[in-house]
Every structure is written in structure tokens, then in C-alpha cells.
Amino acid sequence: MLTEDYVQKVYAGFLGMNIGIRLGAPLEPPEWTYEKIQEVFGSIASYVKDYKNFSADDDVNGPVFFIRALIDEGRNKEFTAEDAGKAWLNYIREGIGMIWWGGEGISTEHTAYKNMTNGILPPASGSADVNGMALAEQIGGQIFADCWGLLFPDDPAAAARYAGIAASVSHDHNGIYGARFIAACISSAFSAESMEEVISDGLYVIPADSLYYKAVLSVKEYYEKNSEDFRACHRYVMENWGYDRYPGVCHIIPNACVCMIALLYGKGDFSKTVEIAVMCGWDTDCNAGSTGTIAGVFQGIAGIPEKYRKPVNDTVITSSVSGYLNNIDIPTFVKELAELSLTRRDIKLPREIISAKGELFFDFNLPGSTHGFRTDNSFRLLLKHTDEKGWNSPGALEIVLDRMTVSDSGKVYYKPFYRRADFSDEKYKPVFFPTISSGQTVSCKLYFDQWSGEQVYVIPYVRNTYTGEDLQLQQMDLVGKIWNTIEFTVPDSEGACLDEAGFLIVTESPLSNRAFGRILLDEFHVFGNASYCIDFAKQVTEFQSVTPFSHHKGSWRLSRGRLLAESLEGCASFAGNYYGKDLLLKAAITPLSGESHCLIARAEGIMRHYLAGFDGKGRVSILLNDFGVERLASVPFDWEHGREYLLGLACRGNTISLTIDGTFILEHQNDRYAYGMYGLGMLDKGSFTAGIMKITEVN
């Protein structure tokens, strides 16, 4: 398969998954029965709810982050269930976000997570022997399988194998068969000629004597007798495979049957497939998401209508421990997924999919891509993708100026950070760290094609989310018929976060000669070292976290302009660019109780990072956490409770050093982690406050 075709099909599949989830999510609650959906909506043919932005969903979280086990653990060795389990422990904050925390013995994922924290390692953590058959056969393994299918195109056996291993962290028996089936179907869809072929390939990788196999086959056989009326088939499923026959909150078998109805009666059409999946009820977002991935790959990007693509706007929100990773640009994620897949298959990477980790680079070269750009004046500024050649790629974002005058203006911007007010709901508690920070460089190319009117200008800006103020930079003329380079340094946000970055469009055109034309945007690039501070007096508590941090265990709250941490056990809080390398981190720390108060650096997750700071009475240390804490270096230091200390942690290359109140204390060389987030943490019970934090990247 050509690399270009593969990347575009991955794009279509991942978009299809997210469209299906967004379509089905409003109708997932049990109040929305099949009958009630039909009564209220009749035949669904578009989104049933408009979201400001669609907040995180476990159906997205799992596929996006559980494949990171392959990045973190399984690149150069055989992939294991224990590898997959480490991804859970490394990216999931206990009790908040990512998965459904419905209670042990009720939520399969909650139960499996607690098993692992109690030392029951995968695959035992998800086994029926440990958790019982009912929990083992809920739907979770199936809904987390999508990216395994996308990683292994035209190789259903490999996709099924990896998906099954990953699913064994939390599921067993039919719960694993569902993961294998869906992943194999996605893999098959890359080149299959019919949906029947896709389903046959899916059935081939699961036991023929399993209940899952029998359920899927029975729906297929019903379809062969009545291939036009999906509602008649649904009645058959209700009578023979319904929820009333299976224990638990969301058993996999009834929902597998719904997926089959959608795939068969959708006949390969993307819209019909996800719409039928939702109209059938039960776990609507899961089923529409799984079938949306399959139908998206099968049809390709051209088969997904704009009415479903536009609201997604190439943006996915997740709720891992990394606020930086949670703001997902879909084309970037798709290229990273393709890079991982091609690398594992020893296929030479084309230049256009090699990503610069820790930077933003939006080239609009995937069909229809928008990279999340938006405008505050959709009446005068019309945004859409164009397939015309951009600056250096086959595509650009087209901004049509519709008869603007001197009294009109409009912003075109990307959102590097979100607030609670940006969402209609908060479900899985997403947290964010800005993907653009003070000190970085923003660059883009603009081509101006003016049809009428007078001079048009752009004013680069970023928005301070604390004050709501647009920090505008120097106005720039747009020269017509050439590619203009716009470049600026992100100004100091003075301790607040930045939640918009782009440019204001203004004109001198009077009413008698309005500005009419278009601007092409290409190669929006954010790069370079950031230098900023975090002023807790300018932060807020949203999504159960203090911005811009994500908390794992403990109580974290704002108190008199400082961050107050209290915990009865070890806890940690994380911020920063996930791919940040060398940096200087300074924070004013006041220990209040307990013997462990540390700065964190190069955190690749909850279970992987360095710590440095107060480590027992009369001692400071540099420590390594790699699924267990190791003390790397220690020296005596007579610190005390109630006194403020300025802790400084520097990471340069493989050297980690600690200063206190400006005085060098100790350093150590270790090459375990080359990049990661930063943060604050305690290894045991205690409390402390933190004042303004200063971060300077020196990569």
C-alpha cells in the first residue's frame, strides 16, 4: 500500500472514530432507550447536539494512550500484557479522568486499575478468575482496540494479537475476542472490497466456538435473509441477544450485535453506518466509534461528509496525566501513528510525516484538514481547506474575506489551551497545559489574493486567559500575490496561560469599496525555547485540577495566591511540554508537614520521572522513579517546616542538579529520561505550599 494512501486512510479511520463517538455520546445514558431515540429523533441523519467543544471520552482516551505502551515499552521487544498495563499506570491519574471510575466490581476498568496498584499484574488484572466472568466480558476491551487496527494495515492477525494483549489488562474471554475482532476488521478495511469481507476477516481471528463468534454470525445470517430493514434485525437482536440476557452495566455481546447491524446495513456507507449504530441504542458512543473507524478506513476520507467533519475541526480532547498531550491535533496524531507503524515495518519514512516532538507544525497537506483553526467572525471570515498548492505542501487553509470594511475585524486562531467555559460538559475531566508558551516563536505563511477593496493588514496576537486581553504585536501589511512570512515571539503572559494564538485581520476599505478576497494559510509552526512563570494567583480550579497542572492523588488547591498540596500518601502534580528536554525550574516551596517535598523533572508520566528536593529529616536528594523509586544522590541539609525555600532544579543533557536559595547543593548524572514534563510531588504523607514557578527551557 502506498504510504500516502495509508496515512489518508488512518486519517479517515481516526476521524470516523471520533465522529461516531461524538454522534453517539448524547444518547449513551440509559434513559435513551432504542424506543426513546426513535420517538424523539426518528431517523438520525446528523449530530443531535451541538457542543462548544466535545470534551474527553473514554472511547477516545483508551485508543490514544494505551498504544503508548508500544512506544514506551515495546519498540524493540515482544509486546506483553505487562507492557500494556504500565501504560495504564503511567498515564491514568487515580480516580479521575481517562476511564469510567464506576466502582470496583462495577466498572471493569476501575477494577483492573486497582488490581494493578495492589500488585496483581496483567493479564491477571483483567482475568475472569480474579474479577468474575461478568466484569471480564464488559465492552471496554472492544472500545480501546481502534488504534491497533490502524497500526497494522492489511494484517488482521497482527492487529488482533496486539489488541488482544492490550485488552487482557482489563478483560478476558469474550471481552478479549471483541478487541481482536474490531482491530482485525479495521486492519482488513484498508483493502477489503466489501463489508462482508471485513467481517469474515474479523471472525477468522476469534474462536469459532465463542459466544462472540456465534452472536456475530447470527446477525450476519439474519442480514442475508433480510438485507434492507435494520430495525427488523434490531428486533431480532433484542429478542435473542439483548441486555436482559447478560450481566453487568454494558456487556459486550449485545453491543457486538449492534456493531454488526451497523456494518452490514450501512453497506459500507460511512454516514449510514454510524447513524444506524446510534439509532440502535445501548452503548451508542462505543458502537458508533468502533464502526466509524471501520467504515472510515473502508470508505476513505472522501466518504466522510463535511457535516460530520466540520464540528470536529481536526481536534480531539483527552484526559491523560499530560495536559500538553490532551490537546490533540488529529492530522499530527495520525502522522505520529503512521510514523510508528512504518518504523515497525522498516519502511522508509517520507519527510512529510516525520514529526518534531514538542513543536506544533500544521501543513494542511491531508485532504480537508483544518488543524483546529477557527474564527470569531464567521460572518465576514469563511474558513475552509483548499487543495490548491500551499507554500510547500498540497493544501492550505483558505480564509475568504467577505466584503470587510474599516469597521470590521476578525480573528483567525488556534487554541493552545482550554478552560471549563469552552465546554458544554466535562465528563472525563480533561486537563490542559498550553501548547504555546511565552518565549516561543510562531511562524506562518500567508498568501493574499485580493479581489477588490483597499489595504488589508494582519496583527499577530495571543490571548491571556486570565485577563481575557489580546496581546497584540506589530501590524503587518499583506502583500498581494506572494507568500508573506509572519513571525513573532510569544510575549510574556506574566504568569497566566495563553488560550489563543493567531492574527487579527483588519482593512482600510470603506463601504464603497469593501475588501473582498482570500488569504491562504500554510506552515503554521511553533518552536523554540519557552520562558515563562506560573503565578498561582492567576490560576483557577477547573476539572478538579489547578490550572495548568494535572494531579495524581492528594488534595491540591489554591490558597492565598499559592498552591497548597496535602496528602495522606505519595502524590504528584504535572505540567509542561511532554517533550521538553533541558530546562531550569525554580519554585518557592514551604514544607508544612511530612518529610518529602520535591520538584519533578523529565516526567514521561506518573511512574517515570526524576525528583529532587527534601527527602527525609536533614537530607536532600535526587531520585529516580521508574515504577519504583531509587535514590540517586543525597547530601545532608538542615531544612525545617514553615520556612520558604527557593528550590532550583536544572536538567542539562544527562546532568541533574539542585540548588536551594541560589546555592548549589548536589548534582547527579543519569540518562534514563531525556525529556518530559515537570511538576511537584511528595513520596509520603505531608503538605506544602508552592509560590510562583519559573520555567526556562534551554534546549
Side-chain angles (χ1 to χ4, degrees):
M1 177 177 291
L2 294 175
T3 301
E4 180 182 4
D5 184 43
Y6 169 60
V7 176
Q8 290 190 17
K9 280 186 172 288
V10 174
Y11 186 36
F14 193 69
L15 270 174
M17 181 187 83
N18 285 283
I19 289 167
I21 292 166
R22 185 186 182 113
L23 180 67
L27 304 180
E28 180 188 19
E31 292 85 353
W32 286 107
T33 62
Y34 167 81
E35 293 78 14
K36 188 60 66 178
I37 292 170
Q38 186 176 13
E39 175 188 338
V40 174
F41 297 104
S43 294
I44 289 174
S46 62
Y47 291 117
V48 301
K49 280 192 178 180
D50 294 325
Y51 291 92
K52 296 178 182 178
N53 295 281
F54 185 66
S55 65
D57 193 299
D58 59 338
D59 302 74
V60 182
N61 290 326
V64 167
F65 284 97
F66 295 161
I67 62 160
R68 292 193 72 87
L70 204 60
I71 300 171
D72 299 340
E73 310 287 347
R75 276 190 181 270
N76 300 309
K77 68 181 189 67
E78 186 66 27
F79 183 57
T80 69
E82 190 171 343
D83 294 337
K86 284 184 175 180
W88 285 57
L89 297 176
N90 201 40
Y91 294 102
I92 298 176
R93 297 169 292 149
E94 183 165 312
I96 180 171
M98 280 289 284
I99 60 174
W100 177 48
W101 298 96
E104 292 183 72
I106 300 173
S107 163
T108 304
E109 293 76 27
H110 187 161
T111 304
Y113 180 91
K114 292 303 292 184
N115 284 344
M116 287 187 285
T117 61
N118 290 327
I120 303 173
L121 300 180
S125 57
S127 69
D129 289 342
V130 172
N131 301 328
M133 189 65 78
L135 277 186
E137 295 192 332
Q138 299 300 298
I139 199 173
Q142 177 167 292
I143 69 173
F144 300 150
D146 302 72
C147 284
W148 299 111
L150 297 175
L151 277 171
F152 296 99
D154 297 324
D155 193 350
R161 183 170 70 256
Y162 279 81
I165 290 169
S168 70
V169 172
S170 51
H171 291 75
D172 203 351
H173 296 287
N174 288 297
I176 291 177
Y177 304 151
R180 290 177 61 87
F181 177 82
I182 292 296
C185 286
I186 294 167
S187 176
S188 172
F190 278 91
S191 60
E193 296 183 359
S194 69
M195 201 53 69
E196 287 81 358
E197 181 183 346
V198 166
I199 292 166
S200 293
D201 286 344
L203 286 173
Y204 187 78
V205 300
I206 63 175
D209 61 351
S210 67
L211 188 62
Y212 197 101
Y213 190 105
K214 294 173 182 176
V216 167
L217 187 61
S218 74
V219 177
K220 185 173 182 290
E221 290 173 345
Y222 185 93
Y223 170 79
E224 290 167 352
K225 298 174 184 175
N226 181 355
S227 62
E228 299 302 323
D229 187 356
F230 85 87
R231 295 194 184 276
C233 188
H234 182 267
R235 287 192 294 272
Y236 165 79
V237 167
M238 288 277 286
E239 293 168 0
N240 294 276
W241 305 97
Y243 263 27
D244 58 311
R245 293 172 174 263
Y246 304 98
V249 176
C250 191
H251 200 277
I252 198 169
I253 294 301
N255 290 291
C257 292
V258 166
C259 289
M260 283 298 299
I261 295 173
L263 292 172
L264 289 168
Y265 288 87
K267 302 181 187 300
D269 180 272
F270 175 81
S271 297
K272 289 181 180 178
T273 298
V274 294
E275 289 159 7
I276 290 171
V278 174
M279 286 188 283
C280 285
W282 289 330
D283 201 337
T284 48
D285 58 342
C286 297
N287 299 332
S290 297
T291 57
T293 311
I294 297 168
V297 171
F298 183 78
Q299 276 289 323
I301 201 69
I304 302 178
E306 182 66 11
K307 68 177 180 180
Y308 283 130
R309 286 192 68 175
K310 187 174 182 179
V312 174
N313 196 26
D314 271 345
T315 301
V316 177
I317 302 302
T318 54
S319 55
S320 76
V321 70
S322 172
Y324 183 88
L325 295 179
N326 286 339
N327 185 1
I328 294 177
D329 171 65
I330 290 179
T332 300
F333 177 80
V334 163
K335 291 175 184 179
E336 290 174 350
L337 200 64
E339 181 181 349
L340 176 61
S341 174
L342 296 174
T343 299
R344 291 185 63 83
R345 290 184 282 148
D346 294 323
I347 298 175
K348 184 179 179 181
L349 299 177
R351 181 189 61 82
E352 60 268 20
I353 73 165
I354 300 175
S355 57
K357 302 292 193 297
E359 297 181 2
L360 301 182
F361 185 76
F362 303 153
D363 59 11
F364 305 95
N365 67 355
L366 285 173
S369 57
T370 62
H371 292 284
F373 273 84
R374 57 190 80 194
T375 178
D376 70 337
N377 187 354
S378 57
F379 187 76
R380 293 297 181 197
L381 298 173
L382 312 177
L383 272 57
K384 67 184 183 70
H385 180 272
T386 175
D387 291 330
E388 290 186 42
K389 189 177 187 308
W391 164 253
N392 195 29
S393 62
L397 185 72
E398 184 177 69
I399 307 159
V400 176
L401 285 62
D402 187 7
R403 296 161 297 154
M404 294 182 69
T405 71
V406 68
S407 62
D408 296 316
S409 66
K411 296 191 290 187
V412 175
Y413 62 94
Y414 163 77
K415 276 193 73 66
F417 184 75
Y418 289 86
R419 295 285 306 277
R420 174 63 183 85
D422 293 318
F423 296 92
S424 305
D425 59 8
E426 56 183 80
K427 292 189 298 181
Y428 284 85
K429 304 295 185 294
V431 287
F432 303 97
F433 181 84
T435 53
I436 300 176
S437 296
S438 299
Q440 291 188 290
T441 299
V442 177
S443 173
C444 67
K445 305 291 185 182
L446 297 178
Y447 183 91
F448 185 36
D449 180 15
Q450 188 164 10
W451 304 326
S452 64
E454 300 184 13
Q455 183 65 49
V456 173
Y457 309 95
V458 294
I459 305 173
Y461 84 99
V462 293
R463 183 179 183 271
N464 182 314
T465 188
Y466 176 70
T467 63
E469 175 188 5
D470 290 340
L471 306 179
Q472 296 185 357
L473 289 97
Q474 183 177 357
Q475 178 175 292
M476 301 180 183
D477 296 352
L478 278 184
V479 180
K481 302 299 184 180
I482 67 168
W483 283 97
N484 299 258
T485 298
I486 308 298
E487 187 167 295
F488 64 93
T489 300
V490 179
D492 187 0
S493 62
E494 299 182 342
C497 297
L498 301 173
D499 65 353
E500 292 181 12
F503 47 87
L504 184 72
I505 300 175
V506 296
T507 180
E508 294 179 350
S509 297
L511 279 170
S512 58
N513 188 22
R514 299 184 181 202
F516 189 41
R518 64 176 185 161
I519 298 171
L520 301 184
L521 166 64
D522 197 9
E523 292 203 357
F524 183 86
H525 190 192
V526 181
F527 59 96
N529 292 333
S531 179
Y532 57 93
C533 66
I534 297 174
D535 184 350
F536 290 107
K538 297 179 179 178
Q539 304 304 321
V540 295
T541 301
E542 296 179 337
F543 298 118
Q544 296 182 8
S545 288
V546 173
T547 58
F549 284 80
S550 58
H551 312 315
H552 173 66
K553 297 185 178 180
S555 169
W556 303 80
R557 57 189 174 89
L558 295 168
S559 176
R560 300 180 181 179
R562 295 174 70 90
L563 178 66
L564 171 61
E566 301 172 305
S567 185
L568 297 176
E569 58 181 334
C571 64
S573 190
F574 301 91
N577 186 327
Y578 184 84
Y579 297 104
K581 295 179 181 177
D582 293 354
L583 60 72
L584 306 175
L585 170 63
K586 294 181 179 180
I589 303 296
T590 302
L592 300 177
S593 66
E595 304 299 327
S596 175
H597 309 89
C598 295
L599 301 183
I600 290 173
R602 291 188 176 170
E604 294 182 8
I606 294 166
M607 305 301 294
R608 289 195 174 96
H609 51 261
Y610 296 112
L611 304 98
F614 306 129
D615 176 39
K617 187 175 181 180
R619 181 176 67 189
V620 295
S621 301
I622 296 174
L623 308 103
L624 169 73
N625 184 4
D626 189 1
F627 287 87
V629 176
E630 175 188 353
R631 192 165 284 105
L632 299 177
S634 298
V635 296
F637 187 90
D638 190 19
W639 62 275
E640 59 188 59
H641 293 123
R643 177 181 166 185
E644 181 178 88
Y645 299 88
L646 181 62
L647 269 60
L649 176 57
C651 294
R652 294 184 177 91
N654 64 356
T655 300
I656 306 145
S657 60
L658 176 69
T659 62
I660 300 179
D661 294 332
T663 301
F664 172 81
I665 302 299
L666 81 164
E667 71 177 22
H668 185 80
Q669 292 188 335
N670 186 277
D671 61 2
R672 176 63 182 89
Y673 303 122
Y675 62 85
M677 304 173 285
Y678 58 81
L680 303 159
M682 297 185 287
L683 295 175
D684 205 344
K685 66 179 180 179
S687 61
F688 69 87
T689 64
I692 292 175
M693 300 181 69
K694 174 68 176 177
I695 298 91
T696 305
E697 295 179 352
V698 291
N699 296 354

